[in-house]
Each structure stands twice: as structure tokens, then as C-alpha cells.
Amino acid sequence: WEVVDFKSGRPSDDPAVDLQLDAYAVAATAGALGPAPERLSVTFAHLGGGLTERTAEVTPERLESARARLAAVVDGIDAAVWTPTPGDHCRGCDFLTVCEAGRAAVG
């Protein structure tokens, strides 16, 4: 199987995008779509400026790491931990108008 998420924009260097691919991998192997596939890859297909694909094979190690990362994010949300991670990626953020750290980062 390959899970493909088509994006209208250009690729991002933001490491947080890997979390989205990880979420797809966990969902696809959790039985949400039927029996777990024997092989799985997850892909972003960016259409902005021409087709650019970013694909990752889902290995047992990646899947274990993905589950841990997602659990940590959920735990942070439950604990109301909202530590900003400002950077150039803030320029496209929907929350820039209410995020002081993001506004300072893009100055």
C-alpha cells in the first residue's frame, strides 16, 4: 500500500510534517482500513511548482517511533504544554496573528 497526501503548495523543510506522515502510517496499520498491509509507504505529493514527492517506507522501527511521537504529542496536548518553536516556517502559519514568538521570529 501507499498512502498519498496531495498538497497544493511547495514542499516544506519543517520537521513537523513528518508527524503527519507518521499519523497516516499508524492509522493504516491499526486496522482502520481493514487488515494491516504487509508493506506500506507514505507520501506527500506537492503540486506547487511542479510535482515533488516525498516518500517514506514504513518499517517496524519507523512505526514504533511514530507511535511514540504521536503519544508524546497527545500527552503534551493533554498537559496543555504549548511551547512555541518559532522559525521561518511561521510565515505560513494560521496562528501567526496570535503568536508573539512567531511574529518575533519573522519580524
Side-chain angles (χ1 to χ4, degrees):
W1 288 16
E2 180 177 13
V3 176
V4 180
D5 182 349
F6 289 92
K7 301 288 191 184
S8 59
R10 298 177 188 274
S12 168
D13 291 333
D14 183 358
V17 299
D18 287 333
L19 186 64
Q20 189 173 357
L21 290 178
D22 286 346
Y24 296 150
V26 169
T29 59
L33 303 173
E38 290 182 29
R39 292 184 58 220
L40 176 67
S41 60
V42 288
T43 299
F44 280 139
H46 295 273
L47 304 175
L51 178 63
T52 304
E53 293 182 9
R54 178 178 179 174
T55 299
E57 294 296 319
V58 179
T59 62
E61 296 80 15
R62 182 181 177 106
L63 195 55
E64 181 179 334
S65 173
R67 287 184 181 120
R69 286 182 67 200
L70 289 166
V73 168
V74 170
D75 290 346
I77 293 168
D78 284 344
V81 175
W82 314 114
T83 306
T85 55
D88 194 53
H89 57 271
C90 294
R91 292 184 192 285
C93 181
D94 293 336
F95 300 101
L96 186 59
T97 59
V98 296
C99 178
E100 187 175 319
R103 287 193 313 276
V106 300

